[in-house]
């Protein structure tokens, strides 16, 4: 049975939630492997709209196993709030597991995220302020506290005491702000144990069994390739590896077992937070995409920066991820435009594959190819042959450029609004 990975091919918010949800119909296991509750997936099922942050979209189906792997950083209070909210809406968590090796987002991580952003002023990253960066920092610095530590009160108490003493020293001496209370954090986190305990497991082992039993496994990416801490527009990135390589370390799953890597890209481009975005539009067209595409962050509500599709960036994402197919979302948003532009190179760089995150400095001039648009509203279309000719040509242009087949095309917000081409 195939093992598939769904990854964001741009700066996140590509519509992966809906894609994974759609593909989850055929999956037995849906697994998150990176990021935390900085992610936000909107999925519409019938008349119900779900906004998921930490929980894999598999939870929307009662028969799927949903897993949060060790590569995810978990804010236990945010997780419990999300679980309780979804339970109230009738969803089941009988087949939901979180890795005992995943790191916890602690209250001081959120404090430091906020303080650092403030300190940086105009050089800020524009983070979601969920404590994600500081949590990964502590993981790598070997002073993180893991989900499994919650199960042993004495271990948790000792680790918390040690780390908090260190954090409070910095809060007091460097930032000159109030220290955090050990007692309050301890109490708050120990209260989560009872609620989280049933879900804590060795998820890598669960996945190994699933693989041996020939189950369909889906790894659901959060954020996007250009936010990857190694391959994104560093330092304006998140602190994990959302690209396909992150699956192996973030879920304890070997690379040789993966069959299919599905990139997800919007028919145009968006980004939240700071950092380079060469095809960003600062004119009416940018506002048009913002409003028609409802481009407001699920997690923070921030308006997204909008621009034309960058094919050079997409080709880079295809390479970094070893992408085998592409899902193109929100094609319907482009309906009604006379002209649609795609960036095929940058000035002074004649080669198609010139996109380099390392050399982006905000001064590059994108060179566009202009494609004719289409009038027809394509919302909800399911058949590629019923698309207007110019919409088909737009899709083919992308395929020709990145040399990856587009297998699914999103034509609206609902689960069923998609063209499946294979
Ligand atoms: P952090 O992940 O909160 O540290 O934020 C770092 C950068 O990643 C900021 O530019 C955020 O706006 C961006 N970011 C984090 N999560 C998402 C996401 O799910 N979608 C889009 N951008 C994100």
């Amino acid at each position: 049975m195939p093992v598939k990975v769904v990854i964001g091919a741009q700066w996140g918010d590509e519509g992966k939630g809906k894609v994974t949800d759609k593909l989850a119909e055929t999956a037995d296991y849906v697994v998150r492997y990176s990021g935390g509750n900085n992610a936000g997936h909107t999925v519409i099922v019938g008349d119900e709209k779900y906004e998921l942050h930490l929980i894999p979209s598999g939870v929307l189906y009662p028969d799927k196993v949903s897993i949060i792997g060790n590569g995810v950083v978990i804010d236990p209070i945010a997780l419990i709030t999300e679980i309780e909210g979804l339970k109230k809406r009738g969803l089941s968590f009988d087949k939901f597991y979180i890795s005992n090796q995943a790191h916890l987002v602690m209250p001081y991580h959120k404090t430091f995220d906020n303080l650092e952003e403030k300190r940086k002023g105009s050089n800020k990253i524009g983070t979601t302020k969920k404590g994600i960066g500081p949590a990964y920092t502590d993981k790598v610095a070997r002073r993180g506290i893991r989900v499994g530590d919650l199960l042993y009160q004495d271990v948790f108490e000792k680790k918390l005491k040690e780390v908090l003493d260190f954090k409070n020293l910095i809060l007091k001496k460097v930032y000159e702000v109030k220290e955090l209370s050990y007692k309050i954090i301890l109490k708050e986190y120990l209260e989560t144990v009872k609620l989280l305990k049933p879900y804590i497991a060795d998820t890598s082992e669960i996945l190994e069994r699933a693989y041996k039993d020939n189950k369909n496994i889906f790894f659901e990416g959060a954020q996007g390739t250009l936010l990857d801490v190694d391959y994104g527009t560093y330092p304006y990135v998140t602190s994990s590896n959302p690209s396909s390589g992150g699956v192996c370390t973030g879920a304890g799953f070997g690379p040789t077992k993966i069959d299919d890597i599905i990139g997800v890209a919007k028919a145009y481009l968006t980004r939240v937070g700071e950092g380079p975005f060469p095809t960003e539009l600062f004119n009416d067209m940018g506002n048009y995409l913002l409003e028609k595409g409802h481009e407001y962050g699920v997690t923070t509500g921030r308006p997204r920066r909008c621009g034309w599709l960058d094919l050079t960036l997409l080709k880079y994402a295809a390479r970094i991820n070893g992408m085998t197919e592409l899902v193109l979302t929100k094609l319907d948003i482009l309906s009604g435009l006379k002209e649609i532009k795609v960036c095929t190179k940058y000035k002074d760089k004649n080669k198609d594959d010139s996109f380099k995150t390392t050399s982006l400095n905000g001064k590059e001039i994108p060179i566009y190819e202009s494609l004719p648009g289409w009038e027809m509203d394509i919302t909800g279309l399911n058949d590629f042959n019923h698309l207007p000719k110019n919409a088909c040509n737009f899709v083919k242009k992308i395929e020709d450029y990145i040399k990856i087949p587009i297998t699914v095309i999103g034509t609206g917000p609902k689960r069923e609004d998609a063209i499946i081409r294979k």
Side-chain angles (χ1 to χ4, degrees):
M1 286 296 193
V3 175
K4 300 188 178 206
V5 177
V6 174
I7 52 102
Q10 295 160 330
W11 274 293
D13 307 321
E14 299 91 351
K16 294 180 294 297
K18 192 189 141 199
V19 174
T20 314
D21 167 55
K22 183 95 193 144
L23 296 169
E25 283 173 8
T26 59
D28 303 302
Y29 288 70
V30 183
V31 188
R32 269 281 301 271
Y33 61 89
S34 73
N37 63 329
N38 48 351
H41 292 161
T42 307
V43 186
I44 297 173
V45 185
D47 294 331
E48 294 284 317
K49 185 170 167 186
Y50 296 95
E51 283 175 0
L52 304 174
H53 295 281
L54 265 167
I55 304 199
S57 347
V59 85
L60 301 174
Y61 295 87
D63 57 327
K64 316 287 178 205
V65 178
S66 293
I67 289 178
I68 298 183
N70 60 281
V72 176
V73 286
I74 299 177
D75 177 337
I77 291 148
L79 178 60
I80 287 165
T81 310
E82 200 173 334
I83 293 175
E84 296 302 321
L86 293 169
K87 273 188 176 171
K88 274 195 196 126
R89 295 175 71 181
L91 297 186
S92 160
F93 282 79
D94 291 349
K95 295 180 179 169
F96 171 71
Y97 301 100
I98 58 179
S99 167
N100 52 4
Q101 285 163 291
H103 280 246
L104 292 170
V105 177
M106 304 297 292
Y108 45 79
H109 291 140
K110 283 180 271 187
T111 306
F112 279 100
D113 203 351
N114 275 286
L115 287 171
E116 263 309 278
E117 283 288 90
K118 211 161 140 195
R119 189 188 63 80
K120 283 182 179 148
S122 60
N123 289 328
K124 68 176 195 242
I125 305 288
T127 74
T128 58
K129 300 196 178 146
K130 302 283 181 190
I132 306 301
Y136 280 112
T137 304
D138 276 353
K139 173 179 174 172
V140 178
R142 295 168 293 188
R143 57 170 171 257
I145 306 180
R146 305 204 284 187
V147 168
D149 295 330
L150 282 171
L151 296 173
Y152 307 97
Q153 192 172 332
D154 54 336
V155 174
F156 182 74
E157 280 178 4
K158 188 168 172 280
K159 287 196 173 179
L160 178 62
K161 178 91 186 62
E162 248 173 56
V163 184
L164 194 63
D165 280 350
F166 170 63
K167 299 288 175 188
N168 273 339
L169 203 64
I170 303 172
L171 288 179
K172 197 170 147 194
K173 304 267 184 201
V174 178
Y175 292 98
E176 298 177 333
V177 295
K178 214 171 132 220
E179 292 158 88
L180 297 174
S181 156
Y182 170 74
K183 263 193 186 157
I184 293 176
I185 299 176
L186 184 67
K187 185 169 176 286
E188 205 178 32
Y189 273 58
L190 289 181
E191 274 167 14
T192 69
V193 181
K194 212 168 71 207
L195 298 165
L196 289 183
K197 204 171 175 179
Y199 309 122
I200 301 174
D202 182 338
T203 51
S204 168
E205 213 169 75
I206 295 176
L207 285 172
E208 174 62 9
R209 276 201 303 276
Y211 181 74
K212 283 194 174 140
D213 290 345
N214 242 359
K215 300 289 185 196
N216 275 332
I217 304 172
F218 260 136
F219 291 97
E220 179 189 60
Q223 287 85 41
T225 308
L226 276 297
L227 287 174
D228 188 288
V229 69
D230 287 289
Y231 294 107
T233 43
Y234 191 90
Y236 298 99
V237 291
T238 191
S239 298
S240 65
N241 289 114
S243 52
S244 62
V247 170
C248 305
T249 48
F253 199 80
T256 50
K257 296 174 184 162
I258 297 169
D259 301 294
D260 197 6
I261 296 174
I262 305 165
V264 184
K266 254 179 222 172
Y268 48 98
L269 196 49
T270 64
R271 149 162 230 178
V272 278
E274 310 302 316
F277 181 176
T279 64
E280 184 170 8
L281 291 162
F282 298 96
N283 54 15
D284 288 350
M285 183 52 66
N287 280 330
Y288 176 89
L289 294 172
L290 172 75
E291 294 308 332
K292 192 169 177 201
H294 307 291
E295 296 296 349
Y296 292 90
V298 177
T299 303
T300 58
R302 288 180 291 180
R304 296 177 184 141
R305 299 155 64 190
C306 295
W308 291 120
L309 182 66
D310 187 337
L311 290 179
T312 69
L313 175 154
L314 205 52
K315 195 170 191 170
Y316 169 79
R319 173 167 74 79
I320 292 302
N321 290 292
M323 213 186 275
T324 49
E325 53 182 297
L326 183 75
V327 173
L328 187 70
T329 61
K330 291 190 141 180
L331 186 63
D332 53 303
I333 302 302
L334 299 183
S335 295
L337 294 178
K338 279 205 163 47
E339 177 195 39
I340 297 165
K341 291 186 180 177
V342 289
C343 168
T344 53
K345 59 185 170 192
Y346 293 114
K347 199 172 177 185
D348 294 336
K349 291 181 187 166
N350 290 317
K351 277 185 20 220
D352 278 352
D353 57 351
S354 60
F355 186 85
K356 295 238 182 344
T357 54
T358 43
S359 60
L360 283 184
N361 58 15
K363 291 193 185 129
E364 44 286 305
I365 300 171
I367 308 294
Y368 293 106
E369 217 168 281
S370 174
L371 306 171
W374 57 92
E375 270 302 316
M376 188 180 138
D377 179 8
I378 61 166
T379 309
L381 267 193
N382 299 117
D383 188 339
F384 189 70
N385 298 317
H386 292 168
L387 277 182
K389 192 172 111 258
N390 289 346
C392 291
N393 288 342
F394 177 74
V395 171
K396 285 177 187 153
K397 170 79 201 172
I398 301 169
E399 283 181 322
D400 284 350
Y401 191 98
I402 63 167
K403 308 272 186 286
I404 307 279
I406 294 178
T407 50
V408 181
I409 300 164
T411 56
K414 297 209 189 94
R415 195 185 243 185
E416 59 275 15
D417 295 340
I419 297 170
I420 316 285
R421 290 175 78 204
K422 67 166 186 186

